Amino acid sequence: MAQSPSAFVPGHVTGFFSAHPDDDPTKAGSRGAGVAVSDGVTVRLEAGEGLELNGETATIEAVDRVLGALRVTARVVIETELPLGAGFGVSGAAALGTALTANALFDRELSENELVTIAHGAEVQAGTGLGDVVAQARGGLPIRLEPGAPAHGAMDGVPTGGTIEYVSYGAVDTEEVITGDTQELTAAGRRGLAALVESPTVGTFMETSRRFAREADLLTPKVRDVIEDVSAAGGEAAMAMLGETVFTIGTGLSEAGYDAERCEISLTGAHLQ
Amino acid sequence: MAQSPSAFVPGHVTGFFSAHPDDDPTKAGSRGAGVAVSDGVTVRLEAGEGLELNGETATIEAVDRVLGALRVTARVVIETELPLGAGFGVSGAAALGTALTANALFDRELSENELVTIAHGAEVQAGTGLGDVVAQARGGLPIRLEPGAPAHGAMDGVPTGGTIEYVSYGAVDTEEVITGDTQELTAAGRRGLAALVESPTVGTFMETSRRFAREADLLTPKVRDVIEDVSAAGGEAAMAMLGETVFTIGTGLSEAGYDAERCEISLTGAHLQ
């Protein structure tokens, strides 16, 4: 086995979304918007089998599905500073990073859209995400106008850049929310998308995301408290979908006295490095 | 007038293309492929009128058209280390950077796709380019599958990264080529796109680009000599469309003894900074 290149995939925090299931995993997905962050996931491959996440043996179903789709046997080595299960799309990033590195190392000659399609489909089939992969491939502050992989989906973006802060208090079960009764959530997400398309600015994104978490009844007491503290200090915070995580664009969390992680909006999407 | 943000737009070198005129400038464009480079264009706005390019008064029709579309009066200050008229898409970059900065400074609340559409349409109407703007907005090694602005066009990408080298010997008149008899060029470009879609790798991109320049009868004697020198040294070079410019992915030009400019593939598309 040749020396593996490594892939970097940014984390992605969704602010609001609507779920769009479909029997075809390349058509299934979500509408909504989020922000790609420079804290992310690196993936490289080694000879062998299995998966290592920050030095510990682990299993990520979406990664296994990507390896299967590319007919590759390898050990997948993943490192990330992001909290797990907290709404940063680590499983989608791991799947997309695996697709990029396996394609390069095993000369599969697939295009970026094809690799994104494989990783998106794997993530949907694993039930662990609906829109992180296409956003992580793009970078920036992506708006998911139409759900699905590149052949079916459509994206736009809010022109922006700069600092992101976040604090995380734990996990929310993504699979439970996105495979449960999503009617109310989807209605709230549709309203959010209409508002952001009308005014694609950072201010509208944050305001819409805050409203979505409330309307979709996803706010936990802890998250509500933090968002209120940031508002009281003159900032704007929202909840990451889906995790017990609060984020700000800019330094609103540290200005409100929180010991927040700080990184940048990742203007670069997933890539080999 | 508030303090202007500045925008960075990567240069873009097209390797091969086919021209697709249309009465609607948002549908007109090109198919083909190229590479976004980290040597690029920065744009900021000042109170006043007119345009300054590397400290000299200049006129770029596509920039004037963008200002008109956004109903903005400002002095546009452009800086670039790229050679002018040499196939790096400086006019398209200037138009896109103007759209990004004017949108931010004058609170026009337009999305990235909308700004790309305005800049692409302005560049097409000015007759100075057909595909640089959409590629510069994306970054990487973009494949233009369908022509036009985001609502009409479709893009993919070759997964890659790393060093780019280039040498420039002067200008080729873009307007003359893309508004002249493009039948032979377009047929060669279609063959190139079919080859790259079949095998979306850096090797295929370079080979296809070399063949395109020969088949479309665009090679100048100087460019032919340089490409042959790089081949003799074991590398792969191609001609920038449209300029008397030779580029390599990797360090093939310096390995062949040329005093080449060196930068990176720009994985980041156009953005505010």
Side-chain angles (χ1 to χ4, degrees):
Chain A
M1 190 161 160
Q3 175 71 30
S4 170
S6 85
F8 172 80
V9 185
H12 177 253
V13 177
T14 286
F16 67 89
F17 72 104
S18 58
H20 299 274
D22 194 290
D23 288 342
D24 179 345
T26 69
K27 292 182 180 170
S30 55
R31 294 190 176 91
V35 59
V37 299
S38 61
D39 282 356
V41 172
T42 61
V43 180
R44 63 186 167 81
L45 303 182
E46 291 181 354
E49 290 187 44
L51 184 146
E52 190 181 307
L53 175 58
N54 289 343
E56 310 265 326
T57 298
T59 302
I60 300 177
E61 183 183 335
V63 169
D64 292 339
R65 288 180 175 273
V66 168
L67 293 174
L70 293 172
R71 305 179 313 285
V72 160
T73 300
R75 180 167 182 77
V76 180
V77 181
I78 298 172
E79 287 173 32
T80 183
E81 66 270 66
L82 291 169
L84 305 178
F88 290 93
V90 170
S91 60
L96 183 53
T98 301
L100 282 163
T101 49
N103 178 66
L105 192 58
F106 293 90
D107 294 326
R108 289 296 185 257
E109 299 196 359
L110 297 175
S111 73
E112 291 184 337
N113 285 359
E114 289 166 330
L115 296 170
V116 171
T117 300
I118 287 168
H120 172 81
E123 171 88 328
V124 167
Q125 290 188 301
T128 44
L130 285 172
D132 287 321
V133 170
V134 295
Q136 287 163 331
R138 185 187 186 283
L141 200 164
I143 307 173
R144 308 193 297 281
L145 297 171
E146 297 294 341
H152 305 289
M155 305 188 79
D156 198 347
V158 175
T160 188
T163 301
I164 290 276
E165 287 187 344
Y166 61 90
V167 287
S168 253
Y169 301 99
V172 170
D173 188 333
T174 299
E175 190 165 359
E176 189 178 306
V177 174
I178 69 180
T179 60
D181 178 4
T182 58
Q183 201 176 339
E184 193 168 343
L185 180 155
T186 290
R190 281 185 199 277
R191 287 191 295 274
L193 185 59
L196 188 60
V197 166
E198 176 68 24
S199 166
T201 66
V202 169
T204 304
F205 168 69
M206 293 302 291
E207 185 186 324
T208 299
S209 297
R210 264 205 318 276
R211 187 185 308 134
F212 171 82
R214 198 171 59 233
E215 291 179 354
D217 199 21
L218 290 165
L219 283 176
T220 64
K222 181 69 195 165
V223 163
R224 180 181 292 113
D225 287 350
V226 177
I227 291 175
E228 285 174 3
D229 286 346
V230 172
S231 293
E236 291 192 285
M239 177 180 170
M241 300 294 143
L242 289 156
E244 202 165 6
T245 295
V246 180
F247 68 97
T248 56
I249 296 182
T251 53
L253 276 162
S254 54
E255 285 164 25
Y258 285 90
D259 182 21
E261 300 294 324
R262 186 178 294 185
C263 62
E264 300 292 315
I265 295 178
S266 179
L267 299 170
T268 307
H271 58 275
L272 295 170
Q273 57 185 6
Chain B
M1 191 162 158
Q3 176 71 30
S4 171
S6 85
F8 172 80
V9 185
H12 177 253
V13 176
T14 286
F16 68 90
F17 72 104
S18 58
H20 300 273
D22 195 290
D23 288 342
D24 179 345
T26 69
K27 292 183 179 169
S30 56
R31 295 190 175 90
V35 58
V37 300
S38 61
D39 282 356
V41 171
T42 60
V43 180
R44 64 186 167 80
L45 303 182
E46 291 182 353
E49 292 187 43
L51 185 146
E52 189 181 308
L53 175 58
N54 289 342
E56 310 264 326
T57 298
T59 302
I60 300 177
E61 184 184 335
V63 169
D64 291 338
R65 288 180 176 274
V66 167
L67 292 175
L70 293 172
R71 304 178 314 283
V72 160
T73 300
R75 180 166 182 80
V76 181
V77 180
I78 298 172
E79 288 174 31
T80 183
E81 66 269 68
L82 290 169
L84 304 179
F88 289 93
V90 170
S91 60
L96 183 51
T98 301
L100 281 163
T101 48
N103 178 66
L105 192 57
F106 293 89
D107 295 325
R108 289 296 184 259
E109 300 197 359
L110 296 175
S111 73
E112 291 185 337
N113 286 358
E114 289 167 329
L115 297 169
V116 172
T117 300
I118 287 168
H120 172 81
E123 172 87 329
V124 168
Q125 290 188 301
T128 43
L130 286 172
D132 287 321
V133 170
V134 295
Q136 287 163 330
R138 186 188 185 282
L141 201 164
I143 307 174
R144 307 193 296 280
L145 297 171
E146 298 293 340
H152 305 289
M155 305 188 79
D156 197 349
V158 175
T160 188
T163 301
I164 290 275
E165 287 187 345
Y166 61 90
V167 287
S168 253
Y169 302 99
V172 170
D173 187 333
T174 299
E175 189 166 359
E176 189 178 307
V177 174
I178 69 180
T179 60
D181 178 4
T182 58
Q183 202 176 338
E184 193 168 344
L185 179 155
T186 290
R190 282 185 198 276
R191 288 192 295 273
L193 185 59
L196 188 61
V197 166
E198 175 68 24
S199 164
T201 67
V202 169
T204 304
F205 168 68
M206 293 302 291
E207 185 187 325
T208 298
S209 297
R210 264 206 315 278
R211 188 183 307 132
F212 172 82
R214 199 170 57 235
E215 291 179 354
D217 200 20
L218 291 166
L219 284 175
T220 64
K222 181 68 195 167
V223 164
R224 179 182 292 114
D225 287 349
V226 178
I227 290 175
E228 285 175 2
D229 286 345
V230 173
S231 292
E236 292 191 285
M239 177 180 169
M241 300 295 146
L242 291 155
E244 201 164 7
T245 296
V246 179
F247 69 95
T248 56
I249 296 182
T251 54
L253 276 163
S254 55
E255 285 163 26
Y258 285 89
D259 181 21
E261 299 295 325
R262 186 179 294 185
C263 62
E264 300 292 315
I265 295 177
S266 179
L267 299 170
T268 307
H271 58 275
L272 294 171
Q273 58 185 5

